[in-house]
Amino acid sequence: MNKENSIYTEVDPGWDGYEKTYINPLTKTFQYEYALYQVLSGLFKSVECSSKCIETLKLYFAELARGSSDPGSVLNDNTGSSVAKRKTQEGLITEITHMVERDVQGHVNFPDMHNCRARMKVLRNKDGSHIFIFTDEIYSFAVRLNMPRKGRKKIEVANLDLKCAS
């Protein structure tokens, strides 16, 4: 058989598949969690995290458009008509920054945080969301996003005591 005379046809599997339209129900939560990680990491001199989970959260965050830092900014599509308000990366970072100022700063026992190098550990909740634990082996705190369907989003904070084993 001569390769030049071969005719190839595309085979249609007969179904559209769900992978083109499926959206993970935790996408919004993961985007907020990565923004929380970014903002909290900025409070320290440096943060080390060996969890692969952060890379996954980063991919969800990367799906957001880049744009204005206004949390409720309106993005326009190419047709010139205004579309529904969509979150942007910068807008989400701004929103989380305000939440960190309100719910975290002043509520954690971590003196001289901006000069510390912290390690972060990620724990997974039963609902698929995550808990972030920041420690420098002396001081530690855990944060978790509380994202109810209705109402105000908030960051839950817990100071952790590390007892020395004698």
Side-chain angles (χ1 to χ4, degrees):
M1 181 176 192
N2 188 354
K3 288 186 179 182
E4 294 175 342
N5 296 333
S6 300
I7 298 175
Y8 297 97
T9 59
E10 183 176 339
V11 177
D12 184 18
W15 58 279
D16 292 335
Y18 63 86
E19 58 274 344
K20 294 180 183 176
T21 60
Y22 175 76
I23 297 174
N24 186 340
L26 290 173
T27 297
K28 184 176 177 182
T29 300
F30 292 164
Q31 291 168 341
Y32 271 84
E33 286 178 343
Y34 186 76
L36 178 63
Y37 163 73
Q38 287 286 78
V39 172
L40 288 175
S41 294
L43 298 177
F44 293 93
K45 184 174 184 177
S46 68
V47 173
E48 172 188 322
C49 181
S50 59
S51 174
K52 303 276 186 213
C53 173
I54 292 300
E55 294 302 316
T56 302
L57 297 178
K58 184 178 182 178
L59 292 174
Y60 279 98
F61 184 76
E63 291 179 2
L64 292 170
R66 292 184 178 210
S68 169
S69 63
D70 178 21
S73 64
V74 176
L75 297 177
N76 292 327
D77 60 6
N78 292 337
T79 62
S81 64
S82 104
V83 293
K85 291 184 179 181
R86 296 186 307 194
K87 296 275 184 207
T88 62
Q89 290 179 4
E90 292 80 6
L92 191 57
I93 293 287
T94 301
E95 183 179 348
I96 290 291
T97 300
H98 294 306
M99 290 171 63
V100 166
E101 290 170 355
R102 180 189 73 209
D103 298 335
V104 177
Q105 290 178 335
H107 299 279
V108 295
N109 184 20
F110 210 117
D112 208 24
M113 182 184 298
H114 63 282
N115 288 324
C116 290
R117 292 185 178 156
R119 285 189 333 191
M120 188 184 94
K121 183 175 182 178
V122 181
L123 302 177
R124 187 178 186 135
N125 289 322
K126 289 180 182 178
D127 66 355
S129 64
H130 300 92
I131 297 173
F132 300 142
I133 300 173
F134 290 86
T135 184
D136 68 348
E137 302 301 329
I138 298 171
Y139 299 101
S140 298
F141 68 94
V143 294
R144 175 186 178 274
L145 271 172
N146 181 357
M147 298 199 34
R149 291 182 187 255
K150 293 184 180 180
R152 181 171 83 162
K153 298 171 197 68
K154 66 179 184 175
I155 302 170
E156 297 174 350
V157 179
N159 286 299
L160 306 174
D161 289 330
L162 296 178
K163 307 261 185 204
C164 294
S166 308

